[in-house]
Amino acid sequence: MADLNDAQNEAIKYIDGPCLVLAGAGSGKTRVITQKIAYLIQQCNTPAHKIVALTFTNKAAREMKSRVSQIIKGSQSRGLTVSTFHNLGLKIIRSECKKLGLKSGFSIFDAQDSGQLIKELLLRDHDDAADLVQLLQSQISSWKNDLVRPSEAISYAKDSNELMAATVYEHYDRHLRAYNAVDFDDLILLPTLLFKDDPSVLERWQNRVHYMLVDEYQDTNTSQYLLVKLLTGVRCCFTVVGDDDQSIYSWRGARPENLALLASDYPKLKVIKLEQNYRSTRTILAAANHVIKNNPHVFEKRLWSELGVGDEIRIIQCKNEDQEAERTASALMSHKLRYNCHFQDYAILYRGNFQSRIIELKLQQLQIPYHVSGGTAFFSRAEVKDTLAYLRLVFNPDDDNAFLRIVNTPRREIGSSTLLKLGEYAQSRETSLFQASQEFGLQQILNQRNLERLLRFVHWIEKTQQNFETNCPAKAMKEMVDDTGYEAWLFEQNKNAKAAERKMENIQQLIDTVEKMTKKAEEEGDEASLKDIVNKLILRDLLEQQEEANDLDRVQLMTLHASKGLEFPYVFLIGMEEELLPHRNSIEENTIEEERRLFYVGITRAQRQLTLSLTSQRKTYGETSKTIPSRFLDELPEEGVIWENKDQPKPEEEKKAIAQTHLSHIRSLLGEGS
């Protein structure tokens, strides 16, 4: 701890009460958290199993665990909890499932599962259900984040859409319980409500938590705030680390005002500011400070650095998005060739994913390797998850989550009311949905037609099981998909035929891969079952994603939201125009402050050099229209900022860079042909 600055040292050693560490961008907040965990265990003799550290992503939790393990060795760290909020919530629910009216082995619905259930509930009364699902799903999620129970939602409804959402919420919640399932938001909501309603359970969990640390506190929602408050109880022994200037997730329930609420709820709150930045030059920080001061603040702070003045910030004005993409790509290549940098040193940031397309084309033309963050992983695609859910149910008929995912996908006219009755019956019999479907007692609950539809599906699964036992896996998979009518259903669901074709190609890719792996297993004398092969396939996909993430020598393309927590020596931030940044929705809804924080996040990703760009006109939805420079450009300081006019000729070094790139490409082609 000798090389920590004074503020970091103070934050680590203060353990006498509630503590808010106001950590500016690049100020070493993760180090403070990990060192404080070590300090609590090694210097304060706090048992590791009594310490809980929370963050928001699995990646951040893994990084924190890794850093702690480098400091604390052996048995000292045994029992330490470092996890996401949702993993902690899951742990509590598993421990208290009886109190919550759940059976062990409950299912967890992801966003797709939840959307499908809401869609089923709506189809009875609304032909345009698909258009409503996302709206209702978002509203229900918002209510859950704000601790609004299904029975209370109707009193919160402000218009006809919210009134409908309140009705759907009640039905949706009843179906979840009947299915012995919870959704993602329930992982926080249910423990928090349980602690509020049952003091004895709360006391038991409070005794397990003697000290709590929370990262990215500005991103907490109402239920997460209360969960922390309840768990820390009268001890009030906690440290939360956050930055109100980097709160950019209000659209998913985050409340930066929770930082101010802390000061109100805890009058003895100790506030420690980390203002020394170890990432960026003074010029970049001056721009960030100048912009963000236009937002109101409960806690004032000003970033500073000892890394020198650094390069000036360039603002490039372009005629249109084509020229913007060309100038960005050529400036990047010119800089790389001139200073012998790596491609991994560069990031191109933007407000919306659609902005990446033209940039990608220009990078490809110049043979510049790049990686677009935020793409959908193969095994996260709905059609792949559906196919795997069929396989899961074939191999394990007791998998209720898989059953619910595909029992009506494609539609088999097995409605939500049928599934609700089936779920309630299965719970009363303490058996799976699949097994309950075949029990004699179900005849007393379902009418003959609905029972026949259900049994038709069950018997088809059993027939498919037999097919897998007698046929090769790839052939059985192909027949399974054909039997379901999934391809025809995809074309019904997707107005764009090409989109449906791409989805079928993904399923075929899955089947082809299984076939290759089966042949390889046979050649190696490995009697692997299809279940083993699918598990290996998922593991291989995860490992390939990790390898891809470790293949760093590529330019990184990502949205401003995705860039939070990252840093790059050289950053290009494109599309600095009104209705892009700030976004049109924020202008209409008067939420400019969050857009300004988003720009602040973009600025502070840059370590050495920042380049901004804008266009005079831009094509949107096929129409070209004039643009207006972003208001945030006027908030930049005059000193340290250079404007490059669109009419100026392209710098000579950029022309040379393009010529040299083309020459290298020709040489590589000649080399391949020789």
Side-chain angles (χ1 to χ4, degrees):
M1 291 169 59
D3 58 343
L4 296 169
N5 64 42
D6 291 343
Q8 289 173 330
N9 258 309
E10 184 182 11
I12 289 167
K13 293 179 180 178
Y14 183 80
I15 59 167
D16 296 330
C19 178
L20 166 61
V21 180
L22 203 64
S27 62
K29 66 179 179 64
T30 306
R31 191 178 182 202
V32 165
I33 293 174
T34 53
Q35 289 281 5
K36 187 154 192 170
I37 292 170
Y39 180 76
L40 285 164
I41 294 171
Q42 295 173 335
Q43 304 297 321
C44 306
N45 297 318
T46 306
H49 67 273
K50 298 284 189 180
I51 300 172
V52 174
L54 299 178
T55 187
F56 282 85
T57 67
N58 288 321
K59 182 181 177 183
R62 283 195 301 271
E63 182 185 350
M64 201 181 292
K65 280 181 184 175
S66 174
R67 291 203 192 184
V68 170
S69 67
Q70 291 170 17
I71 307 169
I72 308 171
K73 307 294 183 182
S75 60
Q76 272 193 321
S77 62
R78 188 174 297 140
L80 173 68
T81 297
V82 180
S83 77
T84 63
F85 271 95
H86 291 91
N87 277 331
L88 176 65
L90 179 58
K91 181 180 178 180
I92 295 168
I93 292 173
R94 280 179 175 154
S95 178
E96 308 291 347
C97 59
K98 286 186 179 178
K99 290 268 186 182
L100 292 164
L102 293 164
K103 293 186 298 181
S104 61
F106 56 86
S107 298
I108 302 172
F109 274 34
D110 63 13
Q112 288 181 7
D113 298 327
S114 298
Q116 186 61 35
L117 174 54
I118 291 171
K119 188 176 180 181
E120 289 291 332
L121 293 171
L122 285 172
L123 279 174
R124 291 175 296 180
D125 306 311
H126 298 274
D127 295 331
D128 59 343
D131 299 327
L132 283 170
V133 168
Q134 193 171 359
L135 177 70
L136 299 181
Q137 197 170 1
S138 175
Q139 182 58 64
I140 291 170
S141 176
S142 178
W143 276 329
K144 288 194 174 192
N145 289 337
D146 288 341
L147 295 171
V148 177
R149 304 171 198 251
S151 58
E152 301 167 338
I154 199 161
S155 64
Y156 285 82
K158 300 171 186 172
D159 53 39
S160 57
N161 281 336
E162 291 191 7
L163 199 60
M164 182 194 300
T167 305
V168 171
Y169 182 15
E170 202 152 6
H171 289 300
Y172 169 75
D173 186 70
R174 197 154 56 94
H175 278 72
L176 280 181
R177 297 299 160 259
Y179 298 159
N180 193 40
V182 297
D183 66 17
F184 196 63
D185 295 313
D186 284 333
L187 297 180
I188 307 297
L189 174 73
L190 294 181
T192 307
L193 291 179
L194 177 63
F195 289 161
K196 276 186 70 179
D197 297 341
D198 194 326
S200 63
V201 175
L202 175 60
E203 184 180 4
R204 188 165 68 249
W205 281 88
Q206 284 176 339
N207 288 333
R208 298 186 188 185
V209 182
H210 284 194
Y211 205 94
M212 180 173 279
L213 304 99
V214 184
D215 192 14
E216 303 287 6
Y217 196 72
Q218 76 281 348
D219 293 336
T220 54
N221 57 37
T222 299
S223 57
Q224 287 161 340
Y225 180 92
L226 185 57
L227 181 63
V228 172
K229 185 177 179 181
L230 288 167
L231 278 172
T232 53
V234 292
R235 282 195 185 91
C236 298
C237 289
F238 64 82
T239 294
V240 299
V241 182
D243 182 3
D244 51 350
D245 290 333
Q246 294 189 73
S247 181
I248 56 174
Y249 297 119
S250 64
W251 47 275
R252 66 185 191 200
R255 294 184 176 275
E257 56 267 32
N258 282 350
L259 291 171
L261 189 58
L262 273 177
S264 171
D265 284 350
Y266 300 95
K268 294 183 179 180
L269 180 72
K270 176 81 168 177
V271 179
I272 300 170
K273 300 178 185 179
L274 303 185
E275 297 174 295
Q276 182 175 357
N277 177 284
Y278 294 91
R279 175 189 298 161
S280 308
T281 64
R282 291 180 202 165
T283 298
I284 291 169
L285 295 182
N289 288 331
H290 217 267
V291 167
I292 205 64
K293 73 179 183 182
N294 292 284
N295 271 4
H297 289 85
V298 176
F299 305 103
E300 295 289 341
K301 70 177 186 307
R302 188 173 182 84
L303 295 178
W304 59 276
S305 171
E306 293 181 341
L307 298 178
V309 175
D311 295 341
E312 292 165 307
I313 295 170
R314 294 168 65 200
I315 302 177
I316 303 175
Q317 292 180 278
C318 305
K319 181 181 178 182
N320 52 36
E321 64 268 32
D322 282 311
Q323 190 185 69
E324 180 183 49
E326 185 179 334
R327 288 296 303 273
T328 300
S330 59
L332 187 155
M333 197 65 197
S334 166
H335 189 277
K336 181 191 183 302
L337 292 171
R338 185 176 181 184
Y339 295 101
N340 196 28
C341 300
H342 298 287
F343 285 117
Q344 70 188 42
D345 295 335
Y346 301 88
I348 301 174
L349 311 181
Y350 35 81
R351 180 63 176 84
N353 278 308
F354 73 92
Q355 291 172 262
S356 75
R357 295 167 196 158
I358 193 164
I359 290 286
E360 289 185 65
L361 291 173
K362 295 298 179 183
L363 294 178
Q364 288 168 7
Q365 287 174 15
L366 291 179
Q367 299 290 297
I368 296 173
Y370 66 89
H371 174 252
V372 181
S373 296
T376 305
F378 181 74
F379 283 90
S380 296
R381 298 181 187 279
E383 62 276 13
V384 176
K385 289 182 74 172
D386 288 342
T387 307
L388 289 174
Y390 273 105
L391 292 174
R392 281 163 47 200
L393 193 61
V394 166
F395 298 135
N396 177 19
D398 292 334
D399 189 332
D400 283 352
N401 207 9
F403 182 98
L404 290 168
R405 183 177 183 93
I406 48 90
V407 67
N408 214 27
T409 305
R411 287 182 61 75
R412 297 181 174 88
E413 296 184 318
I414 299 172
S416 56
S417 58
T418 299
L419 293 173
L420 176 62
K421 291 174 183 176
L422 174 63
E424 290 172 341
Y425 177 80
Q427 269 209 322
S428 69
R429 297 283 296 158
E430 295 188 349
T431 188
S432 68
L433 297 173
F434 187 89
Q435 296 301 329
S437 300
Q438 304 175 78
E439 289 200 3
F440 184 77
L442 197 60
Q443 295 180 19
Q444 311 301 317
I445 296 170
L446 296 181
N447 64 43
Q448 189 64 29
R449 189 172 61 171
N450 291 336
L451 183 62
E452 285 175 359
R453 289 170 180 162
L454 197 58
L455 286 172
R456 199 178 302 135
F457 171 71
V458 168
H459 293 152
W460 177 80
I461 290 290
E462 290 174 336
K463 176 189 166 189
T464 305
Q465 287 172 331
Q466 294 169 7
N467 195 25
F468 273 106
E469 289 172 5
T470 56
N471 264 318
C472 75
K475 184 180 178 184
M477 277 182 72
K478 179 74 168 61
E479 289 179 2
M480 180 187 76
V481 174
D482 289 344
D483 282 351
T484 63
Y486 197 88
E487 184 171 8
W489 179 75
L490 277 179
F491 278 91
E492 288 174 14
Q493 295 292 307
N494 292 273
K495 295 176 183 177
N496 185 338
K498 287 186 177 179
E501 288 170 6
R502 281 196 298 270
K503 290 175 186 292
M504 277 308 299
E505 285 171 5
N506 287 333
I507 293 174
Q508 187 57 51
Q509 183 183 336
L510 181 64
I511 295 171
D512 291 345
T513 306
V514 166
E515 185 173 23
K516 289 175 186 175
M517 293 180 73
T518 304
K519 285 181 180 177
K520 187 178 179 182
E522 289 172 353
E523 289 168 3
E524 295 174 355
D526 181 7
E527 296 181 7
S529 67
L530 179 56
K531 185 177 182 181
D532 295 330
I533 287 169
V534 170
N535 286 336
K536 285 181 182 178
L537 196 62
I538 294 171
L539 179 60
R540 192 179 77 178
D541 179 71
L542 292 171
L543 292 173
E544 283 177 356
Q545 287 180 42
Q546 289 175 0
E547 287 169 10
E548 186 176 280
N550 292 331
D551 179 15
L552 295 176
D553 201 22
R554 293 178 293 176
V555 176
Q556 300 298 307
L557 274 61
M558 65 187 72
T559 63
L560 286 163
H561 282 99
S563 74
K564 186 170 176 290
L566 303 176
E567 56 189 51
F568 307 92
Y570 309 103
V571 169
F572 293 83
L573 206 170
I574 64 175
M576 289 298 303
E577 300 140 33
E578 289 288 298
E579 300 194 356
L580 253 185
L581 187 66
H583 194 273
R584 179 188 304 168
N585 292 345
S586 73
I587 296 171
E588 293 173 353
E589 297 167 10
N590 196 27
T591 54
I592 299 296
E593 289 172 13
E594 178 149 336
E595 293 290 295
R596 185 176 285 111
R597 293 195 291 268
L598 198 55
F599 182 39
Y600 174 85
V601 165
I603 294 172
T604 53
R605 297 314 92 195
Q607 295 171 300
R608 301 179 202 166
Q609 191 179 84
L610 175 65
T611 303
L612 310 174
S613 62
L614 66 155
T615 66
S616 298
Q617 58 185 37
R618 188 176 292 275
K619 186 179 285 187
T620 310
Y621 303 116
E623 292 187 8
T624 300
S625 54
K626 290 185 177 180
T627 62
I628 301 171
S630 169
R631 68 189 71 188
F632 299 147
L633 294 174
D634 294 331
E635 297 176 1
L636 291 168
E638 290 184 14
E639 188 178 351
V641 177
I642 298 175
W643 285 72
E644 293 186 6
N645 190 279
K646 67 180 181 188
D647 298 322
Q648 287 178 340
K650 189 180 296 178
E652 197 63 32
E653 62 186 42
E654 290 185 15
K655 291 180 182 177
K656 288 179 181 177
I658 293 173
Q660 188 172 337
T661 303
H662 285 310
L663 183 61
S664 298
H665 183 43
I666 291 168
R667 283 174 178 163
S668 68
L669 290 173
L670 290 172
E672 288 169 6
S674 59

